[in-house]
Amino acid sequence: MGDASQQINGRVQHVAIEIAQLNKGLAESIKGKLESSIPSLNGSQCSIYRVHEKFCKLNKYAYTPEMISIGPFHRGKGNLPAMEDHKLRYVHALLSRTATIGPKLEECVESIREIEEEARKCYSEPINMNSNEFVEMMLVDGLFIIELFRKSAGKVKSERDDPIFGNIWGLSSLVRDLILLENQIPMRVLNCLFNQPALKEELEGSCSFNMLALRFFNPLMPREKEVLKNYSKCEGKHLLDLLGKTFHDLPERGKSKNNSWKFIPSVTELKRAGVKFKKSSTRGSFLDIKFNDGVLEIPPVIIQDQTDSLLRNLIASEQCCDGHVTYMTSYAFFMDSLINSADDVGLLRNQGIITNYLGDDEDVSALFNKLCCEVTLANFYYAELCDQVNIYYKTRWHKWRATLKRDYFHNPWAILSVIAAVVLLALTLTSTIFGSLSYLVHKS
């Protein structure tokens, strides 16, 4: 009996030791993974993200480059490698205009190598490229962008066989590709290359890199040159971020206790209640919407082929950050409330607020109605403004006055008819009064 008991206890003890070793091995494995993981994907340096799958399912084209790949996320995909040789031609042209290419390249490589770790941290996921590959990609893409911007600004003459400037669609496609969130390189890299002593002689006399960039992207949301100069020292984390921040120059709104999204009626409904729509100044941000004394002032906006991608990528960028900066998201929600149909677009277009280059007002309506799908709004910038609009809309006198004006004073003939009816009513009433008085006097 004793031998059997010892045998069983020995077996149990052996199993317990094996389980303890397994647990220790698993713990060591998990510890290794934890120690090898990157510290944080949401640190202050991270600024270039993958667009969330839920957005891509709705409109993958809006976030995917069609002509050129910049940075690591779309490198080598589809037909994009076809432009790699052209990138090299641009870089060669930039470097070969003064002195020898070799020494310049060495200086550029050395500068990018010094900020390599900082550049890698700008991406939301580890970049599976060795040091030489990564530095080469940053250098080639960065110098290509600088040469592209200078050619676009007329600082450098473009060749006839240039596939970008040699056809009517090349440049517009490239403008769109360079504002995609996944198709970015850090602004630190671009500024590092633009300010290289080795390129000083070639770039001397050019305007700042910010001005070159803003002039390149200006066709997306056209603004006067004097307006762009106000943002010559604006700091962006990448090109999309730079462009977005030039639209954030907005007045401070009153602090609202509830800054969640507020519904407002559509343009058609507001017009029936007496709200007027007015095109405001073109010198500020197209986000600077105001409401005062029944007048909704909205800056003009051009809706064209690239507008959907621009707005979606600006919104996606806000969705990836901490949620406090939601200017573009707020604008999308506001316009989605205002526009429910082609009729709403037509009313805004007639006031000069919307310029429609898509052709059909229904397409513009669909664009704004789909922008907010799957989007989360944390801080609604127009909350107080919407409260003011809703108070005005719910005031009965405003609706009555608007109905009277719309139904009886919409043209001169209608006004004459109303006047004639009033005069006839007055004459009838006067006749009745005199008749009654005459009867009472006669009877007395």
Side-chain angles (χ1 to χ4, degrees), residues 108-123:
C108 291
V109 168
E110 182 180 354
S111 296
I112 299 300
R113 184 90 70 184
E114 290 176 357
I115 61 172
E116 177 189 353
E117 192 62 30
E118 179 184 343
R120 285 180 180 270
K121 289 179 180 179
C122 291
Y123 292 92

Side-chain angles (χ1 to χ4, degrees), residues 146 159 184:
I146 291 172
E159 295 75 17
Q184 301 292 323

Side-chain angles (χ1 to χ4, degrees), residues 23-39:
N23 290 342
K24 183 178 180 180
L26 179 58
E28 289 295 329
S29 175
I30 295 174
K31 180 183 176 183
K33 291 179 180 179
L34 293 175
E35 291 176 347
S36 64
S37 66
I38 55 178

Side-chain angles (χ1 to χ4, degrees), residues 178-198:
L178 292 184
I179 52 95
L180 303 183
L181 178 58
E182 294 184 354
N183 215 33
Q184 301 292 323
I185 60 174
M187 187 65 75
R188 179 81 169 85
V189 171
L190 292 167
N191 285 327
C192 176
L193 292 171
F194 190 79
N195 295 316
Q196 271 298 304

Side-chain angles (χ1 to χ4, degrees), residues 107-216:
E107 289 186 34
C108 291
V109 168
E110 182 180 354
S111 296
I112 299 300
R113 184 90 70 184
E114 290 176 357
I115 61 172
E116 177 189 353
E117 192 62 30
E118 179 184 343
R120 285 180 180 270
K121 289 179 180 179
C122 291
Y123 292 92
S124 63
E125 59 188 56
I127 306 303
N128 188 25
M129 301 174 70
N130 64 40
S131 180
N132 284 344
E133 291 173 337
F134 185 82
V135 170
E136 179 182 340
M137 177 181 66
M138 292 290 111
L139 187 146
V140 171
D141 286 356
L143 291 178
F144 164 76
I145 289 173
I146 291 172
E147 179 75 352
L148 172 69
F149 286 179
R150 297 182 74 238
K151 284 193 174 187
S152 176
K155 304 294 182 181
V156 179
K157 186 178 180 180
S158 58
E159 295 75 17
R160 288 187 177 182
D161 60 346
D162 191 318
I164 296 173
F165 294 91
N167 58 68
I168 59 176
W169 58 267
L171 187 59
S172 62
S173 294
L174 205 60
V175 169
R176 174 197 166 276
D177 282 357
L178 292 184
I179 52 95
L180 303 183
L181 178 58
E182 294 184 354
N183 215 33
Q184 301 292 323
I185 60 174
M187 187 65 75
R188 179 81 169 85
V189 171
L190 292 167
N191 285 327
C192 176
L193 292 171
F194 190 79
N195 295 316
Q196 271 298 304
L199 300 177
K200 183 177 180 181
E201 183 179 349
E202 170 61 20
L203 301 180
E204 194 171 11
S206 294
C207 52
S208 68
F209 179 77
N210 274 15
M211 285 303 300
L212 286 174
L214 294 178
R215 288 173 64 180
F216 180 79

